[in-house]
Amino acid sequence: MKKIFKAACLMIAVLGLAACTQKQKAEKVTLANETDSVSYAFGMQQGKYIADFMLNEKNQSYANSFIKAFRTNFRELNPQEEFENSVLTFGFQVGSDIEKGFFQGDSTFTLSRTVLVENILKGMKGEFTEEEIDQFQNQFQRLMMDRTLRSAEHLDSMNVAFGALNGNSVKSYIEMTQKDTANKFNPMAVAEKKFKEGLKNAGKETYEAKLQGMTVAGQLFGMLKQMPNLQIEDFICNADMVKAGVINAMVGDSTIFTADEASAFYNEFADNRHKAKLEFEYGSNRTAGEEFLAANKEEDGVITTESGLQYKVIKMGKGQIPTAQDRVKVHYTGKLLDGTVFDSSVERGEPAEFGVTQVIAGWTEVLQLMPEGSKFQVFIPQELAYGDRDMGTIKPFSTLIFDIELLEILGDVKQNDLAVIK
């Protein structure tokens, strides 16, 4: 009977443990429109990134604390909440350093909990003069630079200085917060309490997860506040859908999208919007280029290659023809269809040197048609130039005209590299 009772107790304990570590629940989502779908997909994309890099290999209790804190703090925090979270995190970081026993990887700078905390609190309360703070700053820098100064006396001095400087930084934050007339709380009254709370919980994994979740929620919410269009033209996200997507990716819910499907959906939408914007603004460049090239290929001396590249031989050299492995020295002038010169080694008075494959596709092709000493006029379709990229003076979909003179083949790139290595 006792054995049965023990087994039953053990089963209850195991079930209780399982209940404690059960995953956080997914958010219930209804996507009412395109904005909701894109926002949710973006959230899942971010949530997968967070899960992969912050929750990977963490236990379920850690993940639960992180997700719970994210869920609670993904919103507009009031000034008191922001202040308390900052001081709380500071206290936890100090406590974590104390737990490790040394500062910033320097095992010779051991931390003294009593001395360090005492002076942080004194600094927070403004018990050091500006002159003392300056002295602590100079002292701390000197002691950090010279690792031979690590006697018990020096270590106490370092902890005093380190504590005073950190406490003074919090004091400055307190004063800045107090000056904000919109704040309806006394930051000095809560600073010590929150600092001690963070300090006390240092080393607790679930508390660390809570602070991490708070921080990530604040950062992502702040990003959406500053950039609600998610860098997509004419788009304003639904922040609630972003939040739901992040949470559901972190808990592994795939009811609407898998994380990979969400990322593909979001990227395709953003790419299509970008292309539509470029087409609306610069599609006329493509049309002008096509019309120019169609007429130009009928001109005397103009040769059109299979790729659509056009060139006219001004002077045919008698030297070797470069290969894809070669570096070359050239003089050139580049123009837009309207005659605007956007770049010219001739005007600079200095030839350019580069590998045959280190340039736009139109250049790579024509260079391998030019014997050394040649001069060609080259007409490059936008798809063999910069395509939809905005290069300043060269706008998307621009057809380019170059006068290129191949001065010299400098040799095989690989052989030159080997010569350098030798």
Side-chain angles (χ1 to χ4, degrees):
M1 185 68 179
K2 288 182 178 179
K3 288 182 179 180
I4 295 173
F5 176 73
K6 286 181 179 179
C9 288
L10 180 60
M11 185 174 292
I12 291 170
V14 169
L15 289 173
L17 180 62
C20 289
T21 57
Q22 188 176 9
K23 285 183 178 181
Q24 285 278 310
K25 292 182 179 179
E27 295 280 298
K28 293 182 179 179
V29 176
T30 300
L31 304 179
N33 48 48
E34 186 177 66
T35 297
D36 286 355
S37 298
V38 174
S39 301
Y40 182 77
F42 173 78
M44 287 206 79
Q45 186 184 60
Q46 300 303 303
K48 183 179 187 301
Y49 178 84
I50 294 167
D52 287 346
F53 290 95
M54 300 193 73
L55 301 182
N56 188 33
E57 298 183 359
K58 298 292 187 181
N59 60 43
Q60 194 59 56
S61 294
Y62 185 100
N64 285 347
S65 295
F66 183 101
I67 296 167
K68 182 179 179 181
F70 180 92
R71 197 190 299 261
T72 303
N73 289 274
F74 187 84
R75 56 185 173 85
E76 188 78 60
L77 301 180
N78 64 48
Q80 182 169 347
E81 289 173 321
E82 289 184 349
F83 179 83
E84 289 182 353
N85 288 350
S86 295
V87 180
L88 195 66
T89 301
F90 170 66
F92 184 86
Q93 289 172 341
V94 170
S96 298
D97 281 340
I98 292 172
E99 289 281 330
K100 295 171 188 171
F102 52 85
F103 174 67
Q104 289 189 351
D106 184 354
S107 59
T108 63
F109 179 5
T110 54
L111 298 175
S112 167
R113 183 184 186 92
T114 302
V115 176
L116 182 58
V117 172
E118 177 186 347
N119 284 279
I120 287 176
L121 292 172
K122 287 172 68 176
M124 286 169 59
K125 296 172 184 177
E127 296 182 13
F128 297 108
T129 65
E130 289 187 13
E131 183 180 2
E132 286 175 318
I133 292 297
D134 288 340
Q135 290 174 349
F136 286 137
Q137 183 71 51
N138 294 332
Q139 179 187 31
F140 184 71
Q141 289 177 348
R142 180 173 60 85
L143 292 170
M144 282 298 293
M145 291 175 64
D146 189 350
R147 293 194 178 196
T148 65
L149 304 176
R150 294 295 190 269
S151 66
E153 180 184 354
H154 288 131
L155 287 171
D156 275 349
S157 296
M158 290 179 78
N159 276 277
V160 171
F162 187 44
L165 293 171
N166 276 280
N168 190 63
S169 294
V170 178
K171 170 178 167 287
S172 298
Y173 182 37
I174 291 170
E175 290 172 345
M176 180 183 69
T177 306
Q178 282 176 327
K179 288 178 181 178
D180 189 343
T181 56
N183 293 333
K184 298 178 180 180
F185 73 103
N186 183 355
M188 183 63 78
V190 299
E192 182 175 351
K193 177 183 176 182
K194 288 298 174 181
F195 170 73
K196 288 182 176 178
E197 180 184 334
L199 191 70
K200 178 182 177 182
N201 286 283
K204 296 179 181 178
E205 192 173 52
T206 53
Y207 202 86
E208 175 188 320
K210 170 187 171 182
L211 294 180
Q212 292 278 21
M214 285 167 39
T215 300
V216 171
Q219 289 173 341
L220 185 55
F221 187 85
M223 186 273 284
L224 292 185
K225 189 175 178 181
Q226 293 181 355
M227 194 177 64
N229 69 344
L230 308 180
Q231 293 187 320
I232 299 174
E233 186 72 15
D234 298 326
F235 182 81
I236 298 296
C237 73
N238 181 333
D240 289 337
M241 287 296 119
V242 173
K243 174 185 177 181
V246 173
I247 292 170
N248 288 355
M250 289 192 291
V251 302
D253 180 83
S254 58
T255 305
I256 298 175
F257 289 122
T258 66
D260 288 340
E261 288 169 346
S263 185
F265 175 83
Y266 170 78
N267 290 338
E268 182 179 2
F269 179 87
D271 188 49
N272 287 340
R273 275 293 179 96
H274 178 65
K275 288 178 179 177
K277 172 180 178 290
L278 289 177
E279 199 64 43
F280 176 77
E281 293 183 357
Y282 302 110
S284 59
N285 289 344
R286 184 204 307 275
T287 303
E290 290 172 350
E291 291 175 351
F292 170 83
L293 292 169
N296 191 60
K297 72 178 181 181
E298 304 300 331
E299 294 292 325
D300 290 343
V302 173
I303 300 170
T304 303
T305 71
E306 186 176 346
S307 70
L309 178 79
Q310 296 180 2
Y311 68 92
K312 185 175 183 179
V313 177
I314 308 302
K315 173 187 173 185
M316 184 63 79
K318 298 181 180 180
Q320 296 292 317
I321 297 175
T323 68
Q325 287 72 42
D326 284 325
R327 285 182 63 80
V328 293
K329 179 188 288 188
V330 300
H331 256 320
Y332 67 91
T333 296
K335 300 177 183 178
L336 304 178
L337 291 183
D338 65 4
T340 300
V341 175
F342 57 81
D343 191 13
S344 176
S345 68
V346 177
E347 290 182 4
R348 289 195 299 272
E350 182 178 354
E353 297 180 8
F354 42 75
V356 168
T357 60
Q358 294 175 329
V359 283
I360 57 177
W363 268 73
T364 296
E365 180 179 351
V366 80
L367 284 170
Q368 295 178 83
L369 300 173
M370 298 178 69
E372 195 174 38
S374 296
K375 185 173 182 179
F376 285 11
Q377 187 173 39
V378 188
F379 311 91
I380 304 181
Q382 58 87 19
E383 64 270 20
L384 299 179
Y386 294 101
D388 64 4
R389 286 178 287 171
D390 189 331
M391 305 299 292
T393 304
I394 305 173
K395 294 304 177 185
F397 310 129
S398 292
T399 293
L400 306 179
I401 302 173
F402 285 93
D403 293 320
I404 303 174
E405 183 177 7
L406 177 56
L407 301 174
E408 184 180 356
I409 299 173
L410 300 175
D412 190 303
V413 173
K414 293 180 181 178
Q415 292 301 320
N416 286 346
D417 289 345
L418 289 173
V420 172
I421 293 171
K422 290 177 181 179

